[in-house]
Amino acid sequence: MLWNNLQQTVELGWDFYLPVLLFVGLIAMAVPVWASIGSAAILMLVMSGDLPLSLVGESLFSGIDAFALTAVPLFILTGDVLVRTGLSRKFLNVAEALTCWAKGGFGSATVLVCGMFAAISGSDAAGAAAVGRMTIARLVESGYPRPYACALVAAGACTGILIPPSIAYIIIGLVLGISASTLFLAALIPGLAILISILVTNIVVNRIYGYEGGGNLSFGEWFTNLRRALASDWYAFIVPGIIFYGIFSGRLTPTEAGATAVVVTIIMGFLLGTLKLSDFPAMLVSSAKVNGIILPIIAFSAPLAEALAIMGVPQGFVTAVTSLTEDPYVLILLMIGILIAAGCVMETTPNIVILAPILKPLADNIGMNEIQFCIMMITALGVGFITPPLGLNLFVVSGITGESILKIAARAVPFVFFMLLVVLLIAYVPAISTTLLPDIYK
């Protein structure tokens, strides 16, 4: 019924259907997403004749000609430098000392270090790989089954795009014309809520199955361990401190904070003797590969968005959906369902550039705050990183350990459930996303 209403509203023809079929077919054949989006966009423009092909090149350039996008490669590079300098292990030492008093302490430390890594790199896959290599073997030694240990790391690494600074918030801010700094501030409480939900889930599961012992330390012993860890590893927190203080105080833009973080991390690596000039080619190549996946998708999304806008698809979608129901609670559930389904089959960046311009008018129509919409969208898409068939974090930890993706996905079900509860809270309780914002954004 929804599709019929959309057809009647927009009068869709083969100039829409054929590009969509082409996009789906190319994705099914494992053609890179940027090439699939670009091919579909060009075919749509050719068939509709709405935009001269001579302007496509200009549209591609304008899609990535944004100062805010410079922050993306900088945060990616910061994450790579962080791992190579060994500072990520300092985070694990402090997280372990912080949670050693509780039963299941190392599992909780694993989740915390995922959050700490997220507060620097802004990337979930990088966090899953870095934390997974440090913790999965020790989790298994502590009594956790290997599939569950992998699921724990995969779930914790979802915070990579949910805790600011986040590459996903930079991209959706660019697509919808919203300040990344504002989105970072709004995402702080929701990101921490997701982190806490993963921590609580692990504690509950550990209590039920008794995977990990511990928790016999007195307060004095715990405080001594924590004090020693902070005394020896405190300098590792200089980098996230610079990022958070710079961005949230308004003294630095996300791009400037990313550049500062890169320089400071490199200097610290040289001072510690853990970074050499010979490490730079590998770091730069690694970061360039990740960046080379993201930026072409953003570039080719520009002509696609223009074609869809000219054809009236976003406005038609709003009309078609609201003709079925105008209940905002039902419409929010519909948006969440679309985002969860999209997150299961495609990565965050293409989902943002394709779905954000389509769903945003619907959110506006029901009076949802645009900042709240962005937070809800990114958080819902974040759940897709641990859901089959294309949960990226599942593939990352499977590649590290050789464990079956289906076994990891099965053990990730409790995490998905509790994360979805947080998504619903974000969607229906605006204060979670807007409490920290100035009144102008509420």
Side-chain angles (χ1 to χ4, degrees), residues 13-19 41-50:
W14 282 109
D15 56 344
F16 176 81
Y17 295 127
L18 199 57
I42 291 173
L43 180 60
M44 189 176 293
L45 292 172
V46 169
M47 294 187 66
S48 67
D50 292 325

Side-chain angles (χ1 to χ4, degrees), residues 25-360:
L26 291 175
I27 290 292
M29 292 187 294
V31 174
V33 175
W34 66 268
S36 303
I37 291 176
S39 300
I42 291 173
L43 180 60
M44 189 176 293
L45 292 172
V46 169
M47 294 187 66
S48 67
D50 292 325
L51 186 69
L53 283 181
S54 59
L55 297 180
V56 171
E58 180 181 340
S59 180
L60 291 176
F61 177 78
S62 63
I64 57 175
D65 183 23
F67 177 70
L69 270 183
T70 311
V72 174
L74 290 173
F75 282 122
I76 293 172
L77 180 58
T78 301
D80 281 340
V81 178
L82 191 75
V83 173
R84 291 185 181 272
T85 55
L87 292 176
S88 55
R89 291 193 175 274
K90 305 297 182 183
F91 294 141
L92 180 59
N93 294 340
V94 174
E96 190 175 1
L98 189 62
T99 59
C100 63
W101 62 273
K103 186 176 181 181
F106 189 69
S108 297
T110 299
V111 177
L112 284 180
V113 80
C114 285
M116 293 174 184
F117 197 91
I120 296 177
S121 70
S123 171
D124 57 288
V131 177
R133 290 190 178 96
M134 292 190 296
T135 62
I136 289 177
R138 283 191 58 187
L139 286 169
V140 174
E141 291 175 3
S142 299
Y144 291 95
R146 184 175 294 274
Y148 179 81
C150 294
L152 179 63
V153 172
C158 289
T159 58
I161 68 163
L162 305 179
I163 293 179
S166 163
I167 293 172
Y169 285 119
I170 294 173
I171 294 172
I172 196 171
L174 179 69
V175 171
L176 298 181
I178 301 173
S179 165
S181 297
T182 302
L183 291 174
F184 286 171
L185 187 60
L188 196 55
I189 292 177
L192 291 176
I194 287 288
L195 183 68
I196 292 171
S197 75
I198 298 169
L199 278 170
V200 171
T201 304
N202 177 63
I203 291 171
V204 171
V205 171
N206 194 70
R207 290 281 183 181
I208 294 173
Y209 295 102
Y211 289 149
E212 183 182 358
N216 298 319
L217 292 181
S218 66
F219 176 80
E221 291 172 324
W222 168 80
F223 185 76
T224 299
N225 287 341
L226 179 60
R227 185 180 60 186
R228 288 174 179 171
L230 289 174
S232 60
D233 300 324
W234 63 270
Y235 53 84
F237 292 88
I238 292 176
V239 178
I242 289 173
I243 293 174
F244 272 75
Y245 175 75
I247 293 176
F248 295 135
S249 68
R251 296 179 181 275
L252 299 175
T253 65
T255 299
E256 292 167 344
T260 305
V262 169
V263 173
V264 171
T265 309
I266 289 174
I267 292 174
M268 291 176 66
F270 282 129
L271 292 176
L272 294 171
T274 55
L275 188 66
K276 301 177 182 178
L277 287 175
S278 58
D279 294 325
F280 277 78
M283 286 193 305
L284 294 174
V285 169
S286 175
S287 298
K289 286 180 178 178
V290 177
N291 197 56
I293 294 173
I294 296 173
L295 290 186
I297 294 174
I298 298 173
F300 278 100
S301 71
L304 178 62
E306 291 175 359
L308 292 175
I310 292 172
M311 296 174 68
V313 172
Q315 297 79 6
F317 178 78
V318 173
T319 304
V321 171
T322 52
S323 67
L324 297 176
T325 178
E326 294 185 0
D327 188 333
Y329 295 99
V330 176
L331 293 176
I332 288 173
L333 278 178
L334 174 63
M335 286 193 289
I336 291 174
I338 292 172
L339 293 170
I340 295 296
C344 289
V345 298
M346 200 157 54
E347 295 177 11
T348 303
T349 301
N351 277 327
I352 291 172
V353 298
I354 293 172
L355 293 178
I358 295 176
L359 295 180
K360 172 71 163 44

